Amino acid sequence: MINTDHEGSIVSVAVFGEFTLADYHEFEELVRYKLKFEGPVSLFFDLRQMASFTLDVAWEEIRFSRQHAHDFRRIAVLTGSQWVSWTAWLSQLFVEADVRVFEEEAEARAWLAEIQ
């Protein structure tokens, strides 16, 4: 399950439990809307409560990232998991955005706000 929100040019996503393809499509829809009407966005992913994700989500993330490689300014990933940190680093291969992993939410949000 996910919770999405947006303020200015920042799209926020919090994942709870399993991250499914339906959840990812909800995220994609919001991002496409913001890109169409407002241009490039920054992303904030709170993955501290994510238990797992499905393989089709991983594939869709690669596809979506490649399709929108130039549409993201910054991507902040909030997690305490070394595995999620590694996958966030790997995603930098597909986008031109600056991707950083944080353990503290305030620090991640401050970093995103620097370019607002």
Side-chain angles (χ1 to χ4, degrees):
M1 181 177 104
I2 68 168
N3 182 23
T4 60
D5 193 14
H6 58 96
E7 184 175 328
S9 65
I10 298 175
V11 173
S12 299
V13 177
V15 179
F16 305 95
E18 185 177 58
F19 196 8
T20 66
L21 187 58
D23 295 332
Y24 199 87
H25 286 311
E26 181 181 332
F27 157 73
E28 287 176 326
E29 185 177 320
L30 176 57
V31 169
R32 282 191 189 105
Y33 175 85
K34 296 289 281 184
L35 291 172
K36 181 177 181 178
F37 293 104
E38 299 176 27
V41 297
S42 291
L43 305 175
F44 172 78
F45 285 100
D46 183 347
L47 303 179
R48 294 174 295 181
Q49 300 298 315
M50 182 177 74
S52 64
F53 58 91
T54 60
L55 186 57
D56 52 354
V57 168
W59 179 250
E60 184 68 11
E61 194 274 331
I62 292 169
R63 188 196 64 74
F64 186 75
S65 295
R66 291 183 68 198
Q67 185 179 42
H68 295 281
H70 311 289
D71 295 332
F72 306 118
R73 292 184 179 127
R74 288 185 171 180
I75 302 171
V77 179
L78 185 61
T79 185
S81 165
Q82 198 65 2
W83 171 251
V84 174
S85 297
W86 183 82
T87 58
W89 174 83
L90 188 60
S91 71
Q92 278 188 291
L93 298 174
F94 304 108
V95 295
E96 290 184 6
D98 190 6
V99 180
R100 292 197 187 166
V101 176
F102 297 89
E103 290 187 13
E104 299 295 327
E105 183 173 351
E107 187 179 338
R109 292 199 181 271
W111 179 70
L112 291 175
E114 288 176 1
I115 60 168
Q116 274 284 66

